[in-house]
Amino acid sequence: MKRYKAYCFDLDGTVYRGDEGIASAIAFIQKLQQEGIEPFYITNNATKTPEQVQQKLAALGIAAPLQHIYTSALVTATYVEQHFRQMKVQVIGSDGIRVALAEKGIHITNDEDASAVVMGLDREINYAKLASACLAIQNGAKLIGTNGDMKFPTEQGFVPANGSFVHLVATVTETEPLFIGKPSPIMLEAIAQAHHYSKNEMVMIGDNYQTDILCGIRFGCDTIHVNTGVTSTAQVQVQQEQPTCCLSSMAEWA
Ligand SMILES: [Mg+2]
């Protein structure tokens, strides 16, 4: 099996399911660390701060350095910092995105003269917030979603994820949103840039074809699909663009 310098792991469905760790992935990560390779963790979940992700991984037996945890919230904040001179944004979202923006010195406003509207999952979303976002965009603000996931599974069935609300605002304002999270390659680009890796030194590992695998393919690095989450191996095999490798779990990676 090829050796990489940067193993980039998706989290939900790849390293854990809910609060339960996926043993094969955890063992693989610990083995890499024993060999002196520190993996990266990439999540579309914008509700948690990197510190909260670090705590969750620690509870599963993984010691992860903060600089190796990339949330869509963190990368969105970096994007806003780099692309908007006047850093005044409206936010619909929770802790993860609010803290990330504040740490970059970005001013969060309710005014409709914001230069961007940043949307991450907000479990307290309401009509007033959505209306205000729509008005800001009609005044020239750019619409940015931390991630475009439309739904996520719960024990009872699917519930709305961030993308559903971003598409609502996009429909009203007739604009095209920019999504930072996977399958956009922006998060892998951020890792390559910050840590000086070339694409052939990196691999993206994940359970979701539409986000993780397409993210790696669009970025241009190798990809490993694991059959431990959203997309089954059978569903991957009918796709036109195939991952580099399909595994039932990381235990198969000899
Ligand atoms: Mg996943």
Side-chain angles (χ1 to χ4, degrees):
M1 296 284 194
K2 184 177 167 184
R3 302 279 292 168
Y4 300 93
K5 286 190 179 166
Y7 292 79
C8 305
F9 283 87
D10 166 59
L11 290 175
D12 222 325
T14 302
V15 175
Y16 49 71
R17 262 182 305 254
D19 287 328
E20 213 173 290
I22 297 173
S24 50
I26 294 170
F28 184 82
I29 287 166
Q30 289 168 338
K31 191 164 162 283
L32 285 177
Q33 290 175 324
Q34 282 159 14
E35 293 166 7
I37 299 169
E38 194 58 70
F40 290 86
Y41 308 92
I42 310 184
T43 177
N44 271 7
N45 184 338
T47 63
K48 287 192 167 66
T49 64
E51 286 82 1
Q52 289 167 328
V53 173
Q54 187 182 45
Q55 283 164 16
K56 180 155 184 173
L57 289 170
L60 300 173
I62 298 172
L66 271 184
Q67 321 84 268
H68 282 234
I69 298 171
Y70 282 74
T71 68
S72 64
L74 186 77
V75 181
T76 298
T78 306
Y79 184 92
V80 170
E81 183 191 34
Q82 290 173 350
H83 290 81
F84 294 93
R85 265 251 188 91
Q86 202 236 23
M87 298 199 299
K88 197 169 158 192
V89 300
Q90 257 199 40
V91 179
I92 294 180
S94 42
D95 264 15
I97 186 64
R98 287 179 186 279
V99 170
L101 290 165
E103 281 179 353
K104 299 277 182 202
I106 296 159
H107 180 61
I108 297 175
T109 176
N110 290 322
D111 297 347
E112 275 133 32
D113 67 342
S115 43
V117 170
V118 175
M119 293 183 69
L121 183 64
D122 183 343
R123 291 192 169 85
E124 272 137 49
I125 198 162
N126 60 34
Y127 190 86
K129 289 183 189 181
L130 288 164
S132 178
C134 290
L135 295 173
I137 288 160
Q138 288 165 80
N139 279 338
K142 171 94 186 140
L143 176 58
I144 300 174
T146 54
N147 61 300
D149 304 46
M150 297 295 279
K151 57 185 180 179
F152 47 70
T154 67
E155 278 108 28
Q156 294 85 31
F158 287 104
V159 293
N162 188 47
S164 300
F165 299 108
V166 177
H167 282 293
L168 184 157
V169 172
T171 303
V172 172
T173 56
E174 298 177 22
T175 48
E176 197 60 51
L178 169 73
F179 289 112
I180 303 293
K182 302 168 286 187
S184 157
I186 293 174
M187 294 174 77
L188 285 175
E189 281 162 9
I191 292 177
Q193 246 177 43
H195 300 268
H196 311 291
Y197 294 120
S198 62
K199 291 174 184 177
N200 62 11
E201 295 171 327
M202 299 172 68
V203 62
M204 178 70 217
I205 302 159
D207 67 299
N208 187 326
Y209 179 85
Q210 298 301 336
T211 55
D212 306 319
I213 302 305
L214 286 183
C215 173
I217 290 172
R218 286 181 191 174
F219 173 66
C221 71
D222 282 356
T223 51
I224 300 172
H225 175 262
V226 283
N227 191 27
T228 53
V230 169
T231 318
S232 69
T233 302
Q235 288 169 324
V236 173
Q237 282 164 346
V238 298
Q239 299 293 331
Q240 207 166 35
E241 292 184 283
Q242 286 294 304
T244 313
C245 176
C246 261
L247 303 175
S248 63
S249 82
M250 288 313 287
E252 276 182 24
W253 187 268

